[in-house]
Amino acid sequence: MCEVQKDIKFEDAMKRLEEIVKSLEDGNLSLEEAIELYEEGIRLTKICNDILRSVEKRVVLIEKLNGEYIQDDITNDIYGGLGQKE
């Protein structure tokens, strides 16, 4: 099983995910190889989602600090009121 680096860059993770998808779509893998790639893809997806969530929070904080943040129901749900004006 391939070990996924937790400190991998977003771009590198996305590139690897694209490689995994292509390999799975090609269909030239054994069942065991396909499952291992699928597991790696799931771990990479979680890492990418975590990175994106972190970046989104940073953007909200930057906008809030600069007085540009506009609260809406979506950001309130995502950030639990992080961007609410005081």
Side-chain angles (χ1 to χ4, degrees):
M1 183 185 311
C2 182
E3 195 63 34
V4 176
Q5 304 170 4
K6 295 209 188 274
D7 60 346
I8 189 170
K9 291 182 180 179
F10 179 81
E11 294 80 6
D12 295 335
M14 287 299 296
K15 182 177 179 185
R16 178 64 183 141
L17 274 170
E18 290 171 1
E19 293 169 358
I20 289 170
V21 169
K22 182 172 179 358
S23 293
L24 290 170
E25 287 178 342
D26 287 346
N28 298 326
L29 302 169
S30 69
L31 180 58
E32 186 59 34
E33 291 170 324
I35 292 297
E36 286 181 13
L37 283 180
Y38 180 78
E39 287 176 338
E40 181 183 356
I42 293 297
R43 286 190 300 274
L44 286 167
T45 299
K46 182 182 180 329
I47 289 169
C48 287
N49 284 334
D50 290 347
I51 291 169
L52 286 174
R53 204 169 295 115
S54 174
V55 169
E56 287 172 341
K57 286 180 181 180
R58 286 179 61 195
V59 168
V60 167
L61 287 173
I62 291 167
E63 288 177 345
K64 186 175 181 184
L65 290 172
N66 289 309
E68 299 170 6
Y69 182 74
I70 299 173
Q71 179 186 354
D72 59 23
D73 291 338
I74 293 172
T75 54
N76 191 38
D77 288 345
I78 293 171
Y79 304 113
L82 178 65
Q84 292 180 347
K85 294 185 179 184
E86 298 167 8

